[in-house]
Amino acid sequence: MKDEKIIKLLKKRDEKGIFAVSDKYEPLLYYIISTILGSRSQDIEECVNDVYYKIWTNIDKYDLSKASLKTYLKVIARNTAINRIRDISRNETYIYEEGLSSLLEGYADYCHNPEKKALDKEKIDVLQIILKNLGDRDRELFVRRYFYIQSSKDISEIMEMSVNAIDSRLSRLRGKIKQEYERRELYE
């Protein structure tokens, strides 16, 4: 079923729209979410269901002219999984004392340091500029590796490149990004 028809069904609040999303995109959703959550099958299942709920409740906010349904679902899946992993890490019962104290020091430093927050924002802005200036293939490679957290092997199959080519290209991209940060004196 075409995305336009799925969107119309969802906007009409027809359950066939959710079933169509599931039929067409569920493997992709599981892939993105499991890449972030690992082997936590119950959490993965809950995240996938959360994605369906979010698309169902927020379909009126979706604009097909800004992004494809596939892209919209990828972003929802990624953000949902990241939020879930954050919740899991907050609720972990086993915390090592050393890790806790260093974590708290870093948290206190970050929360009470507006300069650090501003610098982090500036770093993100620079990264966005750098990514916009990359070629399409390099940008796709970077986003797949560091945004979707895909392995070099998976990327090599999708982009039809060798694993060595992927790794060396990523190394060059990291070097470019580091140079740009150093040029702007943002690198620590």
Side-chain angles (χ1 to χ4, degrees):
M1 185 180 297
K2 296 215 179 230
D3 288 349
E4 292 81 11
K5 186 171 182 179
I6 294 172
I7 294 164
K8 284 180 185 176
L9 289 171
L10 291 170
K11 286 188 176 189
K12 289 181 188 177
R13 297 291 181 214
D14 189 334
E15 290 181 6
K16 291 177 189 171
I18 287 292
F19 293 123
V21 169
S22 174
D23 289 343
K24 191 170 183 179
Y25 294 111
E26 190 166 279
L28 175 66
L29 297 177
Y30 269 95
Y31 177 77
I32 291 169
I33 292 169
S34 65
T35 301
I36 295 169
L37 294 179
S39 62
R40 300 172 183 264
S41 59
Q42 184 177 356
D43 291 313
I44 293 168
E45 186 71 34
E46 287 179 27
C47 276
V48 170
N49 290 330
D50 287 348
V51 170
Y52 293 143
Y53 176 76
K54 288 175 183 179
I55 192 74
W56 179 260
T57 57
N58 295 308
I59 193 63
D60 293 328
K61 297 176 187 173
Y62 169 68
D63 183 0
L64 184 61
S65 67
K66 291 185 179 177
S68 69
L69 181 61
K70 182 178 182 179
T71 301
Y72 188 62
L73 288 168
K74 284 181 187 178
V75 171
I76 292 172
R78 177 187 171 274
N79 291 341
T80 302
I82 289 171
N83 288 339
R84 177 60 54 94
I85 203 80
R86 285 179 183 151
D87 290 344
I88 290 167
S89 66
R90 274 189 221 119
N91 296 325
E92 290 285 0
T93 55
Y94 302 107
I95 300 173
Y96 297 104
E97 280 185 40
E98 290 176 1
L100 179 60
S101 63
S102 65
L103 177 68
L104 290 174
E105 286 170 12
Y107 179 76
D109 181 45
Y110 183 80
C111 287
H112 295 92
N113 191 342
E115 282 181 30
K116 179 147 177 52
K117 286 182 183 179
L119 184 61
D120 288 347
K121 169 87 171 85
E122 192 173 343
K123 286 179 180 181
I124 291 168
D125 292 343
V126 169
L127 182 59
Q128 288 176 336
I129 291 167
I130 293 167
L131 290 177
K132 283 180 186 176
N133 292 328
L134 291 177
D136 291 339
R137 198 152 172 86
D138 283 343
R139 187 178 322 109
E140 178 183 0
L141 177 62
F142 187 87
V143 167
R144 284 185 179 281
R145 181 68 183 113
Y146 300 109
F147 187 75
Y148 291 119
I149 314 170
Q150 293 178 337
S151 69
S152 296
K153 183 179 180 220
D154 291 340
I155 296 170
S156 73
E157 292 169 7
I158 295 165
M159 296 184 70
E160 298 177 353
M161 297 170 64
S162 71
V163 173
N164 288 340
I166 297 286
D167 290 340
S168 62
R169 209 161 184 173
L170 284 169
S171 177
R172 284 194 303 272
L173 286 171
R174 286 190 306 269
K176 276 184 185 179
I177 292 168
K178 181 180 177 184
Q179 284 178 343
E180 186 61 25
Y181 278 121
E182 286 173 345
R183 188 179 74 74
R184 295 173 184 247
E185 297 179 3
L186 296 173
Y187 193 76
E188 295 176 357

